[in-house]
Amino acid sequence: MHNIKRVIFSVDSKKNNPLIDDTPIQVGCELVIPDKYKVNHPLCIVSHGSGGLGSDTDLFVNSLARYGIATLYVDSFTGRDIDNLAWSDILSSYVSPKMRAYETYQAYKYLQEHNFPHLNLDKVACIGFSWGADSIANLMAHWGDELPNDTFYALAYGNLWPFEEQFYKGKEHDITLYHGADDTWTSPDKGKIFAQETDSEFVEFWGCYHGFCKPGYDNHSVGEVIVNHNAPFPIPTELPEVYKWIKQGKIWEDTDFKKVDAVMSYDDLATQRIVSDIIARLT
C-alpha cells in the first residue's frame, strides 16, 4: 500500500436545499488512488452517513484499494460547520440528500475535467451508508445520466422514505439495497418498497442492525432518534410537500414526529457481501 496517491480538492455547493438555505459553501473531497504508478483504476464513490466520515469510509477505501479500485469521497459536514446530524433534533442540523448528491456529482465532474490517467471513469460504482444511501439514491435519480450507464449503486441501510417520483429512474440502473432485518432506525420494509418500485435487488441480513458497515460498534445504543417511516406518505411523494408539513411541526398531515431507540452494530459478513458485490462489478 506504499504506492497510494491521495488528491484533496474542493467543489462548490450550497449550504442546503434552496427552500432552506442556499448560502454558497465549499466542500472538501478526497480521491484515493491505490497505485500512483498504474493507470485505469476503476472508481468507487463513497457517501458517508449522518455521523460523517468514519470507520466505514476507511474500511471501504482500504478494502477496495487492495483490488486496485480507487475511491472518491466527499466531506459534506466540515464545510457546513457541523460534526454530524443531530437526529434527536433533526431540524437543527438538516442537510438535504439532494444537495449532498449535487456536490458528489460536482466532485465526479471535477475528475472528468482534470486529467487523471490513473482513473477509468467509465467504470464506476457508488456506495452510500444510511443518510449517504439517500444521497446516492438522489445522485442516481438526478445525475445518473451523467455517470456511466452501467454504474452500480449500493444503498446500505438508507432511509429512502418518502419514495420520490425521481426514484423511478432506478428502473434504468443497477441498484442493490442492503438492510439489517433488526434495524429500527431506518426501515427495511420501506427499503423493500424502493426495491419493488425500481425493480432493484434487495438483500436483507438477519440479526443485523443499523450501521453494520461501521467497525467499532457492538450493539451500541444510539438513544432516541427521530424517524419518519411511521408516516403514510403516498407513493410517490415529493419532498417540497413534506417540507410544508415539517414547518408546521408535523411529518405528514396529522402524523406526528416519532422517536425510537436505535442500535448500531457492526457485522463483518454483511459488510464483506457489499464489498464483494462492488469488486465483482468493477474488476
Side-chain angles (χ1 to χ4, degrees), residues 103-158:
E103 61 207 28
T104 302
Y105 165 64
Q106 288 294 98
Y108 175 75
K109 186 178 176 183
Y110 177 95
L111 300 183
Q112 287 182 309
E113 294 175 346
H114 294 73
N115 185 23
F116 284 97
H118 306 88
L119 302 177
N120 178 358
L121 293 178
D122 292 324
K123 207 163 186 62
V124 177
C126 303
I127 170 69
F129 312 111
S130 192
W131 200 237
D134 292 59
S135 302
I136 292 299
N138 273 269
L139 176 67
M140 175 279 300
H142 297 280
W143 292 279
D145 292 342
E146 305 297 326
L147 274 66
N149 291 334
D150 60 353
T151 295
F152 175 52
Y153 298 91
L155 310 180
Y157 41 89

Side-chain angles (χ1 to χ4, degrees), residues 260-275:
V260 300
D261 290 321
V263 172
M264 293 180 63
S265 193
Y266 175 67
D267 188 280
D268 188 62
L269 288 177
T271 300
Q272 292 307 318
R273 164 62 191 272
I274 303 177
V275 172

Side-chain angles (χ1 to χ4, degrees), residues 80-236:
R80 293 182 167 90
D81 296 321
I82 58 176
D83 295 323
N84 59 276
L85 299 190
W87 288 107
S88 59
D89 182 18
I90 187 55
L91 294 179
S92 68
S93 62
Y94 181 77
V95 179
S96 162
K98 184 178 179 182
M99 189 53 61
R100 291 194 60 206
Y102 169 74
E103 61 207 28
T104 302
Y105 165 64
Q106 288 294 98
Y108 175 75
K109 186 178 176 183
Y110 177 95
L111 300 183
Q112 287 182 309
E113 294 175 346
H114 294 73
N115 185 23
F116 284 97
H118 306 88
L119 302 177
N120 178 358
L121 293 178
D122 292 324
K123 207 163 186 62
V124 177
C126 303
I127 170 69
F129 312 111
S130 192
W131 200 237
D134 292 59
S135 302
I136 292 299
N138 273 269
L139 176 67
M140 175 279 300
H142 297 280
W143 292 279
D145 292 342
E146 305 297 326
L147 274 66
N149 291 334
D150 60 353
T151 295
F152 175 52
Y153 298 91
L155 310 180
Y157 41 89
N159 192 50
L160 304 170
W161 188 247
F163 182 88
E164 302 172 54
E165 175 74 28
Q166 294 87 347
F167 289 159
Y168 282 116
K169 287 283 289 182
K171 291 184 177 182
E172 305 170 14
H173 296 283
D174 181 9
I175 303 172
T176 299
L177 295 89
Y178 306 86
H179 224 108
D182 296 330
D183 192 331
T184 58
W185 195 341
T186 58
S187 168
D189 291 336
K190 303 308 181 187
K192 290 174 186 176
I193 290 175
F194 184 103
Q196 291 164 2
E197 295 294 318
T198 59
D199 301 328
S200 300
E201 184 176 356
F202 186 90
V203 179
E204 189 167 18
F205 299 110
W206 299 106
C208 282
Y209 298 88
H210 197 78
F212 59 74
C213 288
K214 198 159 191 170
Y217 290 85
D218 183 14
N219 293 315
H220 170 75
S221 174
V222 180
E224 282 196 333
V225 295
I226 289 176
V227 297
N228 74 346
H229 49 72
N230 61 307
F233 297 122
I235 298 173

Side-chain angles (χ1 to χ4, degrees), residues 7-14 25-33 43-48 53 70-76 80 98-116 119 121 124-126 135-136 139 143 146-148:
V7 180
I8 298 173
F9 60 96
S10 62
V11 296
D12 295 329
S13 187
K14 303 287 187 181
I25 63 167
Q26 290 258 300
V27 294
C29 314
E30 184 162 354
L31 169 68
V32 181
I33 299 167
L43 176 71
C44 183
I45 298 171
V46 181
S47 185
H48 65 71
L53 298 171
T71 46
L72 166 68
Y73 55 89
V74 179
D75 177 3
S76 292
R80 293 182 167 90
K98 184 178 179 182
M99 189 53 61
R100 291 194 60 206
Y102 169 74
E103 61 207 28
T104 302
Y105 165 64
Q106 288 294 98
Y108 175 75
K109 186 178 176 183
Y110 177 95
L111 300 183
Q112 287 182 309
E113 294 175 346
H114 294 73
N115 185 23
F116 284 97
L119 302 177
L121 293 178
V124 177
C126 303
S135 302
I136 292 299
L139 176 67
W143 292 279
E146 305 297 326
L147 274 66

